[in-house]
Amino acid sequence: MAKRTKNPLNKRLPRELKGELGKYLVIFLFFVMSISLVSGFLVADNSLIAAYNESFDKYSIEDGNFEYAEPATDEALANIEKDGSVKVYPNFYKEEKTDDFESTFRVFAERKDIDKVCLLDGEMPEAEQDVAIDRLYAKNHKLEIGDDFRMADTTLHIAGIVALSDYSALYQNTSDMMFDNDKFGVGVMTDDGFAALRDNHIHYSYSWLYDDSPENDAEAKERAEDLMPVLAQNGVLTNFLPEYLNQAIIFTGDDMGGDKSMIMAFLYIVVVILAFVFSITISNNITKEANVIGTLRASGYSRGEMVRHYIIMPMLVLLVAAIVGNILGYTPLGQGFADQYLASYSLPTYEVLLNPEAFLLTTVIPLVLLFLINFVMLTVKMRISPLQFIRRDLTKRKKKKAFRLNTRIPIMRRFQLRVIFQNLPNHIMIFFGIFFANFILMFGMILHPMLTHFQDMVTDNALSAYQYVLKTPVETAEDGAEKFCLSSLDTLGEERSSEGVSLYGIEPDSKYVKLDVSDDEVEISSAYSEKYGVEKGDTITLKDPYGSDKYKFKVGGIYDYPSTIAVFMDRSLYNETFDKDDTYFNAYFSDEEITDIDDAAIATEITVDDLTKTSRQLIRSMGSMMSLFLVFGSLMFILILYLLSKIIIEKNAQSISMVKILGYSNREINRIYLHSTTIVVLICILLTVPLCNWVMAEVMKVVFFEYSGWIVYYVPAVTYAKVIAAGVICYAVVTFLLNRKVKKIPMSDALKNVE
């Protein structure tokens, strides 16, 4: 009984730790790094999401907004509130280009009852020229409290830095594929200051709150559909945006929530890989200590005691690493992830919250995974009888003779092949480790060239340098300006949420858009075709975003236009479809800026910068994260290869010692043992790079499908070369370390465990 309460085998644990300190230290550090990253992410994510969710009640965030062509009368607002069971608040805004730097600034009047403002620094506006601007907009344009900037020939004085509760993600239009906190910003002024600004680009926007908040998005959708006809009866409706579709409000919560599943998958993949590395390490130790295990088993030690002994060290390493990692997650790394989110989103103030879920996900579940994988392996191993352990016969299957290798193969090559086949389980783990490391490396390398390529495609395939969308048809004397029609319909939302589709009505002999279809057919953009899998000859159905009408179009071709989900048709077909007169138009193409149209008549001006905002923002927000993936992928590569290659060397230590006695030099020994691993590593690198590319392409399709618009997956050839080069360099580091390991193997090892 005393033996069971105080197991003498435990005395071996400190010696084992000391003897394998390098291996355990590497695994410990890698666990600490992985768990601290995930813990830091979960702590930051939980704290920020809590602040985001609280902001809906704290700042009275709207249930939706709509826009009229003209201000609504008091009678109309009263009818809306009565028939729609809502409370309506005027929330007008004016939008102008800034004079001192390139951007569009949207300014609101005071907000006292709805979509309230969180003051982060400074003071709220008091004087007529005072303005409080969004934190990210200020940061990206290096604006500080006390600075001035000009907008529409008016000087604005920055009194405070704020976060607008309904603009946590700075979407200028909900149809945009990505927010843009560089060339778009928001702010608030006093009522007098707002009234003093010119009205050229004023938007008569109204926000509403339901009398009883919807329980979920399904109910919100149903109530919004009931409300829209009421709004249409009381004014000329030009925009209608329920909260559940407002990307400026919901994108932040969706993105932070979606990142969690990805980061947890990453952690568990790392844990499983390292658990298998541990299992191979333990299996190797069992092989080395087979005689001792057999003797102990014959002396009365049970299988359970042996299993517990060999599983203690991996569990202790992970437990200590998890504790250290969680501590780091609440300190510098948690703040680092919070800073990453705050570099993209305009969130209100937040507090760091304790997160029990982080402890469960980063400590309890990894410990369970590690325990189960190693417990199964050890249980199977320990079924071997004590006599077999003493004889070092560690397989239940009858040993088979090694298959013959052709004698024409040089002796050194045959020796290398034998080493490869004898260590096949290790090499299989090397394959999976390299695949995972290469996937991380590729992810860190492809985003920037892919987004740069997208920018180049958009720039090269832009329809024109300028697109002017008019409030009412206005003539221009600008040479080269060409009339067209523009409106928007929505997809049916069968595969994802409804997405806006731009409809272009083009002049028959347009110099900007060359169509090659019959009068009753349309061309769709290449972005539309690739995203939804629509081909020439198909029929597409789109719906009115503000009504129940549906429209069917026969696809007669694919137009090379990668930046927008769009449909192109002859202008006569457009006017016929939407019941317009033959001369109707509402937009101009032009390669030169049009200066003879009053700004008050222009609803929107679209330039190449507007079309590339997605790629610019992703590069800005993901840039530092890409460096993290590169570092982590490289460390993963080195760790897996070092540990598994080290196991192969240790497993063959007796053979290496023997060939040293026979007079082989260290260089020749490296050719036999290290070069065999080199062959496997190079083959794995070459096989996993195209495999990673295929998996990455599928992952990116899923990721970008949820965004509005489309980004083409693209990997330049040089990226493949970089991934391969990174793998070779990492393995060179491993080889250098293992060379020293081989040199330290003494010749006396050949005399040990001689059967």
Side-chain angles (χ1 to χ4, degrees):
M1 184 66 73
K3 179 183 71 173
R4 294 184 181 277
T5 57
K6 190 174 182 180
N7 194 335
L9 286 176
N10 293 337
K11 295 181 179 180
R12 298 183 70 247
L13 294 176
R15 292 200 300 271
E16 181 184 346
L17 179 62
K18 182 178 179 181
E20 298 287 350
L21 185 61
K23 177 185 70 179
Y24 285 125
L25 183 61
V26 170
I27 294 177
F28 170 78
L29 292 175
F30 203 78
F31 270 135
V32 167
M33 182 173 62
S34 303
I35 290 172
S36 61
L37 286 173
V38 176
S39 177
F41 167 83
L42 292 175
V43 170
D45 189 66
N46 180 65
S47 301
L48 291 171
I49 284 183
Y52 168 80
N53 290 332
E54 289 172 3
S55 68
F56 283 80
D57 290 330
K58 183 177 180 180
Y59 298 101
S60 301
I61 295 180
E62 65 188 39
D63 287 321
N65 67 75
F66 62 93
E67 188 175 319
Y68 280 150
E70 298 292 338
T73 63
D74 292 341
E75 181 182 358
L77 294 178
N79 290 336
I80 293 170
E81 292 182 343
K82 177 183 176 182
D83 297 337
S85 298
V86 295
K87 179 66 176 175
V88 179
Y89 302 87
N91 204 2
F92 299 171
Y93 66 86
K94 298 176 181 179
E95 189 170 281
E96 299 285 354
K97 299 287 186 183
T98 50
D99 299 335
D100 304 320
F101 43 85
E102 189 177 356
S103 77
T104 300
F105 188 68
R106 179 178 295 177
V107 63
F108 293 84
E110 295 179 44
R111 293 173 154 198
K112 299 176 181 177
D113 301 309
I114 196 169
D115 296 335
K116 298 175 185 176
V117 178
C118 175
L119 180 65
L120 301 175
D121 194 12
E123 298 177 349
M124 293 300 292
E126 295 179 357
E128 186 174 289
Q129 289 188 325
D130 284 352
V131 63
I133 66 174
D134 177 79
R135 175 184 59 83
L136 282 177
Y137 184 72
K139 177 183 175 182
N140 292 337
H141 293 286
K142 298 180 173 58
L143 297 173
E144 298 178 352
I145 295 172
D147 290 348
D148 296 334
F149 69 96
R150 293 180 60 77
M151 179 186 80
D153 298 325
T154 300
T155 299
L156 301 180
H157 178 75
I158 300 173
I161 304 297
V162 297
L164 272 64
S165 56
D166 58 328
Y167 280 91
S168 57
L170 289 177
Y171 275 88
Q172 185 174 2
N173 303 295
T174 194
S175 60
D176 292 341
M177 183 177 179
M178 179 56 67
F179 56 90
D180 186 356
N181 52 37
D182 183 12
K183 297 194 175 181
F184 174 68
V186 292
V188 292
M189 299 180 69
T190 63
D191 291 338
D192 291 339
F194 181 82
L197 294 175
R198 70 184 189 183
D199 292 337
N200 292 34
H201 296 117
I202 187 170
H203 292 254
Y204 301 109
S205 179
Y206 297 84
S207 298
W208 81 78
L209 286 172
Y210 291 113
D211 294 341
D212 298 310
S213 298
E215 298 264 338
N216 48 46
D217 283 353
E219 184 182 343
K221 181 175 185 293
E222 183 179 339
R223 294 179 67 174
E225 290 172 350
D226 293 338
L227 177 63
M228 188 164 59
V230 176
L231 299 177
Q233 292 170 6
N234 289 278
V236 180
L237 192 64
T238 59
N239 192 34
F240 177 76
L241 188 59
E243 177 268 334
Y244 73 92
L245 292 177
N246 190 339
Q247 294 294 319
I249 295 175
I250 67 171
F251 183 85
T252 303
D254 291 344
D255 184 51
M256 289 193 293
D259 287 344
K260 180 178 176 179
S261 58
M262 182 182 70
I263 204 80
M264 293 314 305
F266 161 77
L267 173 65
Y268 295 145
I269 289 172
V270 171
V271 170
V272 168
I273 288 177
L274 291 180
F276 277 110
V277 169
F278 259 131
S279 69
I280 292 173
T281 302
I282 294 170
S283 179
N284 184 52
N285 288 342
I286 290 173
T287 301
K288 287 195 301 182
E289 300 174 352
N291 292 336
V292 176
I293 294 171
T295 303
L296 290 171
R297 290 279 289 111
S299 300
Y301 280 85
S302 66
R303 290 192 183 96
E305 287 173 316
M306 301 307 299
V307 169
R308 287 195 295 273
H309 170 71
Y310 280 102
I311 210 170
I312 284 176
M313 189 57 69
M315 297 295 288
L316 283 176
V317 170
L318 177 54
L319 179 60
V320 176
I323 293 171
V324 174
N326 275 283
I327 292 172
L328 291 174
Y330 277 94
T331 45
L333 286 169
Q335 185 59 49
F337 275 107
D339 290 342
Q340 286 292 323
Y341 277 125
L342 293 174
S344 299
Y345 302 122
S346 298
L347 293 165
T349 53
Y350 77 101
E351 295 179 358
V352 177
L353 304 175
L354 289 174
N355 188 359
E357 184 187 28
F359 179 78
L360 172 68
L361 296 175
T362 62
T363 303
V364 177
I365 293 179
L367 282 169
V368 171
L369 282 173
L370 184 68
F371 174 80
L372 289 176
I373 291 172
N374 285 285
F375 179 78
V376 170
M377 184 277 299
L378 283 167
T379 301
V380 172
K381 279 281 187 183
M382 291 302 167
R383 286 178 181 171
I384 299 170
S385 69
L387 184 59
Q388 284 178 295
F389 272 115
I390 293 172
R391 291 176 174 176
R392 304 179 64 80
D393 180 13
L394 304 184
T395 177
K396 289 188 173 183
R397 292 176 297 177
K398 187 176 180 181
K399 288 187 177 180
K400 296 180 180 179
K401 292 183 179 180
F403 61 85
R404 292 177 58 84
L405 294 173
N406 196 315
T407 54
R408 294 180 182 178
I409 301 174
I411 182 65
M412 294 297 286
R413 187 65 67 197
R414 272 184 283 163
F415 212 144
Q416 290 171 343
L417 290 173
R418 293 287 184 209
V419 172
I420 291 173
F421 295 137
Q422 289 170 1
N423 295 278
L424 199 56
N426 300 48
H427 292 146
I428 292 173
M429 279 303 302
I430 284 176
F431 175 85
F432 285 108
I434 289 176
F435 169 79
F436 187 58
N438 275 344
F439 188 84
I440 296 173
L441 284 172
M442 183 172 285
F443 186 76
M445 290 182 183
I446 66 167
L447 191 63
H448 192 277
M450 183 171 69
L451 295 176
T452 301
H453 176 256
F454 175 77
Q455 283 184 338
D456 294 340
M457 289 176 64
V458 170
T459 303
D460 295 341
N461 293 280
L463 302 178
S464 62
Y466 298 90
Q467 294 179 38
Y468 293 93
V469 184
L470 309 175
K471 294 179 180 178
T472 56
V474 178
E475 297 292 337
T476 178
E478 178 66 42
D479 291 338
E482 180 178 289
K483 299 174 182 176
F484 72 99
C485 302
L486 180 66
S487 62
S488 176
L489 293 177
D490 283 355
T491 59
L492 296 182
E494 295 172 342
E495 298 178 65
R496 51 149 283 164
S497 299
S498 294
E499 177 176 5
V501 179
S502 298
L503 273 75
Y504 288 82
I506 306 299
E507 293 282 3
D509 297 317
S510 172
K511 66 178 182 179
Y512 293 100
V513 181
K514 308 292 184 182
L515 297 181
D516 185 20
V517 290
S518 61
D519 293 341
D520 60 344
E521 292 181 330
V522 301
E523 289 191 19
I524 61 173
S525 65
S526 54
Y528 194 147
S529 175
E530 290 182 26
K531 182 169 186 176
Y532 289 97
V534 180
E535 301 293 341
K536 181 178 179 179
D538 294 345
T539 298
I540 59 174
T541 303
L542 303 175
K543 65 178 182 179
D544 186 342
Y546 309 125
S548 58
D549 293 339
K550 294 183 180 179
Y551 302 87
K552 290 187 176 182
F553 302 98
K554 178 71 177 295
V555 178
I558 311 298
Y559 193 84
D560 190 10
Y561 193 51
S563 64
T564 306
I565 307 296
V567 173
F568 301 92
M569 65 187 76
D570 190 90
R571 189 172 144 198
S572 60
L573 176 60
Y574 179 98
N575 289 333
E576 179 185 340
T577 301
F578 297 103
D579 197 23
K580 305 289 185 181
D581 62 64
D582 294 341
T583 60
Y584 174 80
F585 73 97
N586 66 338
Y588 281 106
F589 290 123
S590 179
D591 284 333
E592 301 294 333
E593 187 175 2
I594 296 177
T595 57
D596 62 348
I597 296 180
D598 192 333
D599 283 348
I602 298 175
T604 307
E605 179 183 338
I606 304 172
T607 65
V608 173
D609 277 344
D610 297 309
L611 300 176
T612 58
K613 68 173 65 175
T614 298
S615 50
R616 288 199 318 271
Q617 182 58 41
L618 284 174
I619 290 173
R620 176 186 292 274
S621 60
M622 294 293 288
S624 57
M625 288 295 289
M626 293 305 100
S627 301
L628 182 62
F629 278 108
L630 291 175
V631 172
F632 195 89
S634 299
L635 291 175
M636 183 78 177
F637 209 109
I638 292 173
L639 172 74
I640 295 295
L641 289 180
Y642 175 75
L643 289 177
L644 294 175
S645 300
K646 182 173 178 287
I647 290 171
I648 293 172
I649 295 299
E650 292 173 347
K651 187 176 179 180
N652 292 275
Q654 188 176 356
S655 300
I656 293 172
S657 180
M658 183 66 74
V659 294
K660 282 188 176 183
I661 292 174
L662 295 175
Y664 283 82
S665 65
N666 286 325
R667 184 177 180 182
E668 290 172 320
I669 294 171
N670 287 337
R671 284 184 60 195
I672 296 172
Y673 291 97
L674 289 184
H675 287 196
S676 62
T677 304
T678 302
I679 294 170
V680 172
V681 169
L682 292 177
I683 291 173
C684 288
I685 290 174
L686 295 176
L687 289 176
T688 56
V689 167
L691 183 60
C692 287
N693 180 57
W694 178 79
V695 174
M696 187 70 70
E698 297 303 312
V699 169
M700 287 298 178
K701 285 180 184 177
V702 173
V703 170
F704 287 126
F705 193 80
E706 294 305 313
Y707 288 90
S708 297
W710 187 241
I711 292 181
V712 178
Y713 179 71
Y714 169 79
V715 182
V718 68
T719 300
Y720 300 123
K722 287 180 179 178
V723 174
I724 293 172
V728 171
I729 292 171
C730 290
Y731 183 65
V733 174
V734 172
T735 303
F736 172 77
L737 297 173
L738 292 176
N739 276 330
R740 300 173 61 188
K741 180 74 176 175
V742 171
K743 290 178 182 179
K744 290 181 178 179
I745 295 177
M747 294 183 186
S748 59
D749 277 8
L751 303 177
K752 297 178 181 178
N753 299 322
V754 177
E755 298 180 18

